[in-house]
Amino acid sequence: MKLLITGAWQGAQEHIPEIERMGHEVVFMQWEKDELPCPPDEIEGVICNGLFMNHDIEKFTSLKYIQLTSAGLDRVPLDYIKSHNIELHNARGVYSIPMAEFAIGGVLNLYKQSRFFMKNQQARKWEKNRCLMELFGKTVCIVGCGSVGTECAKRFKAFGCEVIGVDIAPRTDISFDRIDALSELDRILPTADILVLTVPLTNETRYLINKERISLMKPSAVLVNIARGAVVETSALTEALQENKLGGAVLDVFEDEPLSDNSPLWDIENVVVSAHCSFVGEKNGDRLSFLIIDRLRSSKNVSFC
């Protein structure tokens, strides 16, 4: 197979000789916006991230295999891929552990008043705070019970939380106290102390958390978004936070990135803002490389895992 590998796989160069020994012809391009290193109709497989946001997939007439370096599928034309029987794999599981740790850390940041203590530390000011909260006994609703949601559930359970999953396909999973259908979300939201969003962005999940659903949440509830920015209606969330109708938010993703420097979210005291980096962890490279090599060796059928 003639395989185009992009710099989205940061460990690619180290593994190209191994891939070539497997019988594949490899061409490499560092930046996906650049000109292709060979005619697109010669390429049979790609390992990439946003390649088809910059190059028309219809010109890749020999394409039969796509391996993404991202967990999300929102950067590829799924309808075209399915209709042309192109084998598709994402990076499911690669980033789940750091994302789950990030979610826990963000909530603890708010519950333990980290900003208060950091300001006092910088000012060399000794001052007690009697408003610290515990995770123990809280009800956590995780919307999206895939790999990331499951890793989040394990960690919140370890802190003594009740963990309710919400997913398109309800099922039994020992990591959750229960998993309910997405249609039950409005019933569950008023019970949640913490709402964690780990769903992919689709037509069905765009603005899943809107003004109406935010109004169902406890005024003390914390919203954590490590999914995609457009899963939440930003204007409604901002308004709720400004009016103290939510206890806080941990936001790693935004509708428009980078987040504008004039966004009010930067200045709200009970909001943790980060620059779409919840997925970052020092073990990601090892996990991604293992997954890519393993898939190349074994995958034969179309897969949307």
Side-chain angles (χ1 to χ4, degrees):
M1 177 166 64
K2 188 163 187 175
L3 187 63
L4 171 64
I5 299 176
T6 79
W9 178 17
Q10 294 185 6
Q13 298 286 5
E14 178 184 347
H15 293 277
I16 285 176
E18 180 181 0
I19 293 171
E20 289 176 333
R21 287 194 296 271
M22 293 164 61
H24 302 295
E25 177 187 352
V26 176
V27 288
F28 181 82
M29 62 184 291
Q30 181 63 46
W31 306 110
E32 295 183 340
K33 292 183 179 180
D34 289 352
E35 183 179 344
L36 294 170
C38 64
D41 59 356
E42 294 181 3
I43 298 168
E44 299 170 275
V46 295
I47 298 172
C48 66
N49 183 6
L51 181 70
F52 301 116
M53 298 176 70
N54 302 288
H55 300 277
D56 185 359
I57 194 172
E58 295 187 13
K59 294 181 179 179
F60 292 72
T61 54
S62 301
L63 190 63
K64 56 187 179 183
Y65 183 94
I66 299 172
Q67 169 67 63
L68 299 176
T69 60
S70 62
L73 299 173
D74 51 311
R75 295 181 177 180
V76 293
L78 287 177
D79 290 341
Y80 180 90
I81 290 168
K82 292 177 182 177
S83 66
H84 286 74
N85 259 348
I86 300 170
E87 183 176 352
L88 174 66
H89 298 282
N90 65 357
R92 185 181 189 274
V94 168
Y95 311 107
S96 303
I97 289 172
M99 291 179 73
E101 292 180 355
F102 194 95
I104 287 280
V107 176
L108 286 173
N109 192 315
L110 294 175
Y111 272 23
K112 303 304 181 183
Q113 299 286 331
S114 295
R115 181 174 296 184
F116 171 88
F117 290 114
M118 180 58 69
K119 287 181 178 178
N120 281 356
Q121 181 176 340
Q122 291 171 343
R124 298 173 181 263
K125 181 181 180 182
W126 182 275
E127 181 182 2
K128 292 190 182 295
N129 188 317
R130 304 294 184 180
C131 298
L132 309 188
M133 297 175 63
E134 300 176 10
L135 269 177
F136 180 81
K138 298 299 189 291
T139 297
V140 180
C141 174
I142 298 176
V143 184
C145 302
S147 179
V148 176
T150 300
E151 293 298 331
C152 287
K154 292 175 184 177
R155 285 155 180 79
F156 279 106
K157 287 278 282 184
F159 277 87
C161 299
E162 178 189 15
V163 181
I164 302 169
V166 174
D167 203 85
I168 294 173
R171 65 185 189 276
T172 300
D173 188 312
I174 61 172
S175 299
F176 298 82
D177 287 285
R178 70 176 194 269
I179 298 178
D180 292 339
L182 188 58
S183 58
E184 296 292 309
L185 180 59
D186 289 354
R187 178 183 60 80
I188 296 168
L189 282 176
T191 71
D193 297 296
I194 299 161
L195 174 65
V196 182
L197 304 173
T198 62
V199 289
L201 179 61
T202 66
N203 291 333
E204 290 72 29
T205 62
R206 184 175 295 275
Y207 292 160
L208 179 70
I209 305 303
N210 51 27
K211 186 172 184 177
E212 291 71 28
R213 287 201 165 112
I214 290 173
S215 71
L216 297 175
M217 298 173 65
K218 295 179 179 181
S220 59
V222 171
L223 182 150
V224 179
N225 190 4
I226 52 173
R228 287 289 188 264
V231 172
V232 178
E233 186 179 5
T234 304
S235 58
L237 175 62
T238 303
E239 179 182 334
L241 289 164
Q242 289 175 322
E243 296 178 0
N244 295 315
K245 293 179 180 178
L246 280 179
V250 178
L251 306 174
D252 183 54
V253 289
F254 303 88
E255 286 189 70
D256 298 305
E257 295 183 0
L259 182 65
S260 170
D261 61 4
N262 62 8
S263 170
L265 291 171
W266 290 107
D267 299 316
I268 301 175
E269 190 74 16
N270 57 339
V271 175
V272 176
V273 171
S274 53
H276 201 147
C277 56
S278 64
F279 67 94
V280 177
E282 78 274 18
K283 300 292 186 182
N284 284 348
D286 293 341
R287 286 189 290 263
L288 180 61
S289 295
F290 177 85
L291 179 145
I292 289 173
I293 297 299
D294 185 62
R295 291 265 177 80
L296 278 173
R297 286 196 177 113
S298 61
S299 294
K300 296 179 181 179
N301 301 312
V302 175
S303 172
F304 292 93
C305 59

